[in-house]
Amino acid sequence: MKLNIRLYLLTLSSALLFAAQCNAQEQAETTESSGILMEEGIKPEKVKYDSTYRPGTYQVQVDYFRNYKNSKKDIIFLGNSLTAHIDWSELLQNKHVRNRGISSDITFGVLERLDEVIEGKPAKVFLLIGINDISRNVPEDVILANYSKIIRRIKAGSPKTKIYVQTLLPTNNSFDKFKKHYNKEKQTAVVNQGIKKIAATENVTVVDLHPHFADGDGKLKLEYTHDGLHLTIEGYKKWAEILEKYL
């Protein structure tokens, strides 16, 4: 009995220590991202948001992904509907490219399913995520803290994987389908600036998509969108053109 009690106490102590370490790491990452905002003269705001939101098809798609064979030659495109809506292997004419986009996903959703991406030790990961977080009022410092976590978890789980972070695309409010996503130019700019700083700190590559898709007013070019958020085939062709030198 004494042995069992000692074992229980040892297990409990280890669990509490692990939880404390995880909490300290999360606090450090959030503080770091907040520091990025403060450097830009922006005070992080405390607002209510739902980190538990997952799209209706989330689990089904994650289950699909888990059933596909992994290869160390894989080039993973990880993100939301902007990633999900195209056949990347067809678009890029590259058989090693894998689509890991889920429509409406947010940074918390990517973190939750990141083990599926890491387990295959892919050659490259291209990340584009965050516009849905902005539409759901997730603060910029939280989005950036999640970016840091995503990058560090990939590095820890698959050290040889090359990581490419892509800046968020603009939107266009001349449409009316995705009103919660429109008119968020300020938030998008803050996140994009933060992404660049995190990439520099973590020594990963930035693919700066935003300038290529923005018109003179900073909005998504009309020829590249059909609803002010998602891309036309011309938009995807432009994206593919930008990516050529990274593949």
Side-chain angles (χ1 to χ4, degrees):
M1 178 62 74
K2 289 183 179 179
L3 181 60
N4 289 339
I5 292 173
R6 289 179 63 186
L7 181 61
Y8 169 75
L9 291 173
L10 180 60
T11 303
L12 179 60
S13 177
S14 299
L16 290 172
L17 178 60
F18 178 75
Q21 289 173 336
C22 289
N23 184 56
Q25 177 67 19
E26 289 197 4
Q27 287 182 343
E29 289 167 343
T30 301
T31 299
E32 180 180 335
S33 63
S34 296
I36 290 172
L37 298 185
M38 293 297 286
E39 286 178 14
E40 301 300 317
I42 301 167
K43 184 177 181 180
E45 297 181 9
K46 291 185 178 181
V47 296
K48 292 183 178 180
Y49 61 91
D50 182 10
S51 65
T52 66
Y53 168 78
R54 301 293 179 268
T57 62
Y58 181 89
Q59 193 56 54
V60 172
Q61 290 187 266
V62 173
D63 289 344
Y64 284 157
F65 298 156
R66 292 190 191 284
N67 277 277
Y68 297 149
K69 291 182 178 179
N70 294 319
S71 167
K72 291 184 179 180
K73 295 181 180 180
D74 285 346
I75 300 172
I76 304 293
F77 278 76
L78 179 61
N80 50 40
S81 58
L82 287 164
T83 296
H85 284 184
I86 195 72
D87 184 334
W88 286 98
S89 61
E90 192 75 30
L91 178 69
L92 300 173
Q93 292 294 289
N94 188 322
K95 66 180 181 180
H96 297 300
V97 176
R98 301 286 178 264
N99 192 326
R100 293 297 182 266
I102 295 180
S103 293
S104 299
D105 206 4
I106 59 177
T107 55
F108 290 97
V110 168
L111 280 166
E112 187 175 308
R113 60 187 174 96
L114 195 57
D115 62 312
E116 186 277 325
V117 174
I118 296 171
E119 67 182 2
K121 306 294 190 290
K124 299 178 180 182
V125 172
F126 287 83
L127 175 67
L128 178 61
I129 194 73
I131 192 62
N132 294 323
D133 296 66
I134 290 174
S135 76
R136 292 183 167 276
N137 299 317
V138 178
E140 293 95 320
D141 61 322
V142 175
I143 297 171
L144 293 173
N146 285 348
Y147 257 87
S148 292
K149 292 174 188 177
I150 291 168
I151 292 169
R152 290 171 184 177
R153 287 187 189 177
I154 294 173
K155 281 184 170 184
S158 185
K160 293 183 179 180
T161 297
K162 293 182 179 179
I163 303 170
Y164 301 81
V165 288
Q166 302 171 99
T167 55
L168 305 189
L169 299 180
T171 60
N172 192 310
N173 64 357
S174 62
F175 298 84
D176 60 8
K177 188 174 182 181
F178 294 98
K179 293 180 180 179
K180 290 183 179 181
H181 291 75
Y182 306 146
N183 304 310
K184 302 294 176 66
E185 285 80 11
K186 180 181 177 182
Q187 294 92 325
T188 298
V190 170
V191 171
N192 282 344
Q193 188 63 25
I195 288 171
K196 292 175 184 177
K197 291 195 173 186
I198 290 170
T201 300
E202 295 293 336
N203 195 28
V204 299
T205 302
V206 175
V207 182
D208 196 6
L209 297 178
H210 189 279
H212 297 277
F213 288 86
D215 64 17
D217 296 319
K219 297 179 180 180
L220 182 55
K221 292 180 180 179
L222 289 175
E223 63 265 34
Y224 291 155
T225 186
H226 57 86
D227 59 14
L229 176 63
H230 300 104
L231 301 179
T232 60
I233 187 58
E234 293 306 316
Y236 280 108
K237 286 181 180 178
K238 182 64 178 178
W239 194 347
E241 177 187 317
I242 298 165
L243 290 172
E244 281 182 7
K245 66 180 181 179
Y246 301 105
L247 296 171

